[in-house]
Amino acid sequence: LLHGDVLRLRPSMIKFEGTEDTNIEICGIASQMLPLVLNRQLIKILEDLHVPNDVFQELQNRAIEELRTGVSSVTNAAAFLEKNNVGIATHTTWLLRKIQSLGLALSDDMFFRDILDAVLLVQLQQLKFRTRLPVKEGATLYGIMDETDTLAEGEVYCSWIDKDGRPGHTVGPVLVTRSPALHPGDIQLAKAVTVPENSKLRDLHNCLAFSSKGERDLPSRLSGGDLDGDLYHIIWDANLIPKTVETPASYPRALPIDLGREITREDIANFFIDFMEQDQLGIIATQHKILADQLKEGTVHPDCLKLAELHSTAVDFSKTGIPINEAELPSSCRNNMYRPDFMAPGRKVKIEKRGISFVPEQIDFVEPDDPRRAGEPRPHRYYESTKILGILYRSIDESAFFTDLHNRSPILKDDSRMTKSVLVDLWEYVLAETTGIECEDYVEDAWRMRDAYDATVYDIILQYSTSFPDPLEEIEVFIGQVICRHGYSSKRQREYMTGMKEKYDGEALKFMAAMRENDNDLTDENDHVALCRSMACLSVGIQEPRECKRRTEGGRRDTFAWLAAAAVMRELEALEHSRVVGSLEKGWGMFKKALRLK
C-alpha cells in the first residue's frame, strides 16, 4: 500500500536516468471521457472488414444534422460554440445568452452570424476533407492494466463519468483499436464486462482496463500499443462491430543503434539532421491511403501490409535511429501519379466582409489507367473513388450546405447583412443601467488599449499564418480555429491552430482583466472604476477606428468591442449583486432597529 504523497514508477516506465529534478510534467489526465471520432484509416479498415457503407453514411448524416441543429436558435448556437471550445475563455457564449435575455436581436448582427458561419465551415471541412465521423456509442480512453487480476483473457472493463457527473459503463461485445491504424489487424474484438461490487476496478473511471492474462496482451496487438499513456478507442455500436477481424501484426522489435560510446552533442545534432532528411512517415501513410483505395483487396493487399510494417518502423525512427529506405517501398508506389478524389483540394474559400464565399476550382479528374496525359508536368491527377471514402467525400457540398442552412435557420435566414451591430443596442442598455456614472475620463485610456489590442491580434496573424498570400483573418484568431482555404488542413496547420488559440485566449484574458481592473486608491466619489473603464472600452469599440494601420481581405471585425461588452456586462452583474446585498443589509439593519424599539 502507498501512504501519503507517493509516486510509484515501474521499471518499464523509467526510460533513462536523469537529474534529481523533482518537477513533474503532466501530459494528460483522465478527467473526462474523450469523444470517439473515426478517421480515414479506421473507416477504410472497417470497410475492408465488411462493415456496410450505409453505416458510415448514417454517421455522416447525423453529424451534418447536428451542425444544422446547432444554429437553429441562439441558445443552441451558444451551446454549439461551447462544444467546439469557442468563446469560453472570452466569456462570449455567456454574453450571447445575456444579450438574448435582454431581448436584443442577435440574428441581425453580422459578427454573430460570421462567427457561426466560420465555426460551421471548420466543422464541415473536418467531415468532408478529413472524414472525421463522431460516434456516440464509443469513447477514447487511457489504457491501463487490470492489476486486480479480475479480467479474463479478451475481457476489458470500461467505465466513465459523463460531463453531467453521471457514471456509466458498457457491457457486451466491443471493438477496440488505437491510432494510427494501418494494418487490418489493428482493430480487434473484446468483451466488455462488469466487475464485482467490491472490486477495486470500480474506483476507476474514464479509462479502459485490459486483462493481464493470455499469451499476448491486447494493447500490443493494436499497432504496437502499450500502457504508458496511450489512448485507445472503444466502440459498442453494434453496427460498427465486424463479424470477424484480421490477425494482428507481429513485427520484430528493432533494437536502437548502439554507438559503443557516450553520446555527444554532435551526435544529437547529426541525428536531428538525419531525421529531418530521412523521415518517411508522412509519405508512407499517404501511399497507404492511395493504394488501399486503388487495390481491390484494400488494406489486406500485400503491398498495403508492407506499408503498414514500414510505417511501424518509421514511427520508431526517432527512438531507434533506424530509417526507412525508399527502395523498400512497394513497386506500386513508384511513379503513381493518381490519387482518389477525396485527397483533392476543395473549393477555394474566401473570407469577405460580407461573409464566406466559395470559388469553384477545376480538379484534373482522369481514370487511373488513362494514358492520355503522360508527360504532363502536373504531379497529381485525381479519379472518382468508388470506395466509401470517396462516397462520403462527394456527398458533402459546402456551398449547397450553407445556401440551404441560410434558408432554413431562424437566426441565419435573413441574409440582408445588417450593418448595425447588436453591441450598439447593448450600449444603449448599459447607459440606461448606469445613470449618473460617467466614463469620459477613461476614454483616452480605452483608445490606447484598443490600439494595443489591434497590434496584438495583428502580431498573432503574422505569427500563425502558414500562407502569406492568404493570411489569417481576425475572426479566425478570435474563434481559435483556422478555415482552410482549399479544404484540407495539414498537420502543421492544426498544430499552429492549437498554439494560436492558446496565445489569443491568454492575451484576450489579459485585456479583459485590464478593462476590469480597479485602482488601488479608490475614493467614495468614484468606486466604479472597473465599470467606467470597461464602459469606455465598449464605447470606443463600437466606433470606427481612429486610424487603420492594417486591413486584410476580409476586413476588420473589431473583436475588441466583444471583449469590452463581456467585461461591461460582468461589471454590471457585480454592480447589481452589490446593490442587492446592500439592500438586504439595509433592510436587515432596519429590522433589527425596529426590534430594539419594541
Side-chain angles (χ1 to χ4, degrees), residues 344 508 527:
D527 57 353

Side-chain angles (χ1 to χ4, degrees), residues 397-445:
D397 184 316
E398 310 100 288
S399 181
F401 172 84
F402 277 94
T403 299
D404 175 68
L405 190 66
H406 286 175
N407 288 333
R408 293 171 53 182
S409 172
I411 60 176
L412 296 176
K413 191 169 185 178
D414 180 14
D415 201 25
S416 59
R417 289 288 170 181
M418 303 293 290
T419 58
K420 182 180 179 181
S421 169
V422 71
L423 298 186
V424 174
D425 295 332
L426 185 66
W427 174 243
E428 297 297 328
Y429 167 81
V430 170
L431 290 177
E433 291 292 309
T434 57
T435 303
I437 299 177
E438 299 293 335
C439 65
E440 290 299 321
D441 292 343
Y442 299 91
V443 169
E444 193 57 38
D445 285 343

Side-chain angles (χ1 to χ4, degrees), residues 485-539:
R485 303 306 192 265
H486 292 276
Y488 184 79
S489 62
S490 65
K491 181 180 179 180
R492 178 189 175 197
Q493 287 174 318
R494 294 193 294 274
E495 290 174 347
Y496 266 46
M497 183 173 70
T498 301
M500 180 191 72
K501 178 171 179 57
E502 292 177 353
K503 175 72 172 178
Y504 174 77
D505 283 352
E507 294 295 333
L509 287 176
K510 291 178 184 177
F511 278 100
M512 292 184 70
M515 293 175 189
R516 302 183 62 189
E517 184 180 7
N518 271 313
D519 292 341
N520 293 327
D521 55 344
L522 294 179
T523 63
D524 292 338
E525 289 76 17
N526 188 4
D527 57 353
H528 302 299
V529 174
L531 177 59
C532 292
R533 183 179 286 115
S534 58
M535 286 175 61
C537 289
L538 178 56
S539 71

Side-chain angles (χ1 to χ4, degrees), residues 89-123:
T90 56
H91 300 218
T92 305
T93 50
W94 174 84
L95 178 62
L96 293 177
R97 294 187 176 99
K98 193 70 176 179
I99 292 174
Q100 182 193 26
S101 69
L102 298 175
L104 303 181
L106 264 171
S107 59
D108 292 337
D109 184 83
M110 183 170 64
F111 181 76
F112 172 64
R113 296 159 65 94
D114 286 347
I115 287 178
L116 293 181
D117 276 349
V119 179
L120 281 168
L121 179 56
V122 170
Q123 297 307 309

Side-chain angles (χ1 to χ4, degrees), residues 467-483:
S467 173
F468 287 101
D470 291 308
L472 293 173
E473 293 290 341
E474 185 172 338
I475 194 170
E476 293 175 280
V477 175
F478 184 78
I479 66 175
Q481 298 184 8
V482 176
I483 298 173

